[in-house]
Amino acid sequence: MQKVAVLKAQGNFQKTIAEAVEKAGAANIISKGDLVLLKPNLHGSVGITDLSVLEAIARWIWDCGAREIIIGDGPFYGIVNEREHFEKIGIMGIAKKVNAQCVAFDEHDFRIFHNASRYLPDELGITRFAYDCDKMINAPIMKTHFNTLVTLGMKNLKGCIRKREKRIFHQMNLDRAIVELNRLLQSDLTIMDATWAMEGMGPAGGAWVDMGLVLASMDVVAIDSVCCHLMGIDPDEVMTLRFAQRTGLGETDINKIKIVGENLDEHKRHFERPIDSMTRQYPQLNLSNEGACSGCNMNLFAALRGLKLRGVEFVWDEIVMGNSKPMSADALLIGACTASLRKEYAYLPGCPPDVEAIRKRLVNRVG
Ligand code: SF4
């Protein structure tokens, strides 16, 4: 039976991490002299793995006798300069403090897989760090997500793939592609940052929820399922977990997972779903974003938030991104993916267009 440890994150984080890992049956997971890859969620500017949790994990890894720690991620499609992004969000400073190397995967080599699955791009690059390390620790944050309902351990591994395939994932069956990626790439341990989680329009535009928890497990499907339970979401509603269960990748039935530590029901919440949050905040928004990646989605939501704060209404009947087709004549196409229709509709170029450009175009019929 797979084990998931759930602990209150209070006092000394490093002690809590060590205790959670021990309760998850993974106390000896790091061997003396290991090169350890620590893969947090450093996806954007908001909604990243808490830096104090990361620092505590890194210190725990050193205590286990590791030889070297590499902290790495490949941020979302809209981030052009990863190094600058890492500097801005503070991870470079943390890496320096804990004597770890900080890498942006896109600046390094990838292991290339050809035709690994019909649910994956024909050619898929996965960071070499994930295969060259002795141990890999996945350190996601608990959040809702507008494409996949939740982003937890399984989804966090998408940060390990090459930038161009990130976009292709969104044009395929994203949930299924994530499951197949988790067959090609498995971490040795997942430590979930559920100190502050995000509900609503995650992964970057939602509201913070004070959960005050840290979870650990050697089984990513089990830990994701337990997180869903804590978020008040049935794992069967989450397509990545549904596919994972049905294709034998892991167990999502909470009754078949051994929970150690806190009583789940005492911490269970009802996270607002992204779609409920969007219709509550923007009831007049008619958005077609099938196949759009996080670049356009996150920048659009940031632009909408900016307008809402200023009390300004957008003027379009419909907003179209990704590979969606407009349903209305009064549609604004956003992003290079929609360029084939640019002669017929209002069009904003960019991949993705920046937040300010979207904000301006949302309130102006003339570009
Ligand atoms: S245009 Fe937008 S949706 Fe298309 S790949 Fe670029 S960022 Fe993603």
Side-chain angles (χ1 to χ4, degrees):
M1 199 183 229
Q2 305 307 333
K3 244 191 209 180
V4 177
V6 184
L7 265 76
K8 274 191 191 156
Q10 53 193 12
N12 182 334
F13 272 178
Q14 193 182 334
K15 205 164 148 247
T16 308
I17 301 286
E19 206 183 320
V21 173
E22 193 186 337
K23 283 190 189 299
N28 300 319
I29 200 113
I30 309 284
S31 304
K32 205 168 161 43
D34 273 353
L35 163 59
V36 180
L37 173 64
L38 176 55
K39 163 63 181 82
N41 182 336
L42 305 174
H43 179 253
S45 308
V46 181
I48 60 171
T49 308
D50 187 278
L51 296 185
S52 50
V53 171
L54 276 182
E55 181 179 340
I57 297 174
R59 292 195 188 284
W60 165 76
I61 295 170
W62 281 131
D63 278 0
C64 294
R67 159 175 56 95
E68 190 179 343
I69 302 175
I70 295 173
I71 302 175
D73 197 8
F76 90 103
Y77 204 73
I79 289 184
V80 182
N81 187 332
E82 284 92 356
R83 215 132 266 287
E84 212 173 81
H85 168 67
F86 284 172
E87 198 70 65
K88 203 166 96 191
I89 61 176
I91 188 63
M92 299 290 256
I94 291 294
K96 202 168 167 198
K97 196 170 162 193
V98 297
N99 200 21
Q101 193 190 338
C102 185
V103 300
F105 292 151
D106 280 291
E107 292 177 356
H108 297 270
D109 291 343
F110 288 86
R111 179 172 168 188
I112 306 299
F113 292 84
H114 292 280
N115 303 313
S117 156
R118 67 192 170 104
Y119 299 105
L120 289 170
D122 293 347
E123 187 180 299
L124 174 66
I126 301 180
T127 181
R128 276 226 154 266
F129 289 107
Y131 298 98
D132 293 346
C133 66
D134 296 305
K135 301 285 159 43
M136 176 173 167
I137 297 183
N138 187 6
I141 168 173
M142 177 194 277
K143 295 188 291 184
T144 49
H145 192 289
F146 48 70
N147 286 129
T148 50
L149 185 53
V150 294
T151 170
L152 300 163
M154 290 175 71
K155 170 83 167 52
N156 195 41
L157 294 188
K158 184 166 160 275
C160 293
I161 69 174
R162 214 163 35 172
K163 205 169 216 174
R164 61 179 277 263
E165 279 103 48
K166 284 191 180 126
R167 185 186 59 181
I168 300 173
F169 262 44
H170 284 265
Q171 292 160 351
M172 307 177 79
N173 180 335
L174 175 62
D175 304 288
R176 190 62 202 255
I178 290 168
V179 172
E180 295 309 309
L181 170 65
N182 274 264
R183 280 187 216 288
L184 294 181
L185 175 64
Q186 278 129 25
S187 59
D188 296 278
L189 174 69
T190 301
I191 300 177
M192 181 72 61
D193 170 19
T195 52
W196 285 89
M198 184 177 278
E199 67 173 345
M201 285 174 69
W208 290 109
V209 181
D210 183 2
M211 294 293 287
L213 296 173
V214 167
L215 292 85
S217 180
M218 290 193 280
D219 187 299
V220 71
V221 177
I223 197 170
D224 282 10
S225 304
V226 171
C227 284
C228 283
H229 187 81
L230 287 164
M231 297 162 95
I233 294 171
D234 183 342
D236 215 35
E237 273 183 74
V238 178
M239 292 310 289
T240 46
L241 287 171
R242 200 192 283 203
F243 286 134
Q245 168 83 30
R246 292 186 185 171
T247 60
L249 186 68
E251 183 54 69
T252 62
D253 184 345
I254 209 87
N255 298 311
K256 294 182 181 161
I257 298 169
K258 188 169 169 51
I259 317 285
V260 197
E262 292 295 304
N263 179 339
L264 290 192
D265 289 336
E266 283 174 18
H267 296 276
K268 188 174 173 178
R269 309 287 181 88
H270 288 279
F271 277 40
E272 187 177 40
R273 312 288 203 270
I275 186 70
D276 295 339
S277 176
M278 195 168 81
T279 46
R280 177 176 57 76
Q281 293 186 68
Y282 310 105
Q284 73 284 34
L285 177 65
N286 179 12
L287 173 64
S288 305
N289 61 349
E290 191 70 31
C293 76
S294 305
C296 276
N297 277 307
M298 283 171 62
N299 285 4
L300 170 68
F301 294 140
L304 286 169
R305 273 197 307 282
L307 292 185
K308 200 173 175 64
L309 283 172
R310 293 175 176 89
V312 181
E313 293 288 335
F314 53 85
V315 295
W316 303 92
D317 278 355
E318 188 183 6
I319 293 165
V320 178
M321 306 190 302
N323 50 26
S324 300
K325 300 283 174 271
M327 306 289 282
S328 144
D330 188 37
L332 171 64
L333 312 180
I334 294 181
C337 286
T338 60
S340 62
L341 297 168
R342 69 184 180 278
K343 290 195 176 131
E344 296 152 64
Y345 297 90
Y347 169 65
L348 179 62
C351 182
D354 68 39
V355 177
E356 190 53 21
I358 297 178
R359 191 186 63 72
K360 281 191 182 143
R361 203 67 175 93
L362 285 174
V363 295
N364 285 303
R365 288 192 181 280
V366 184

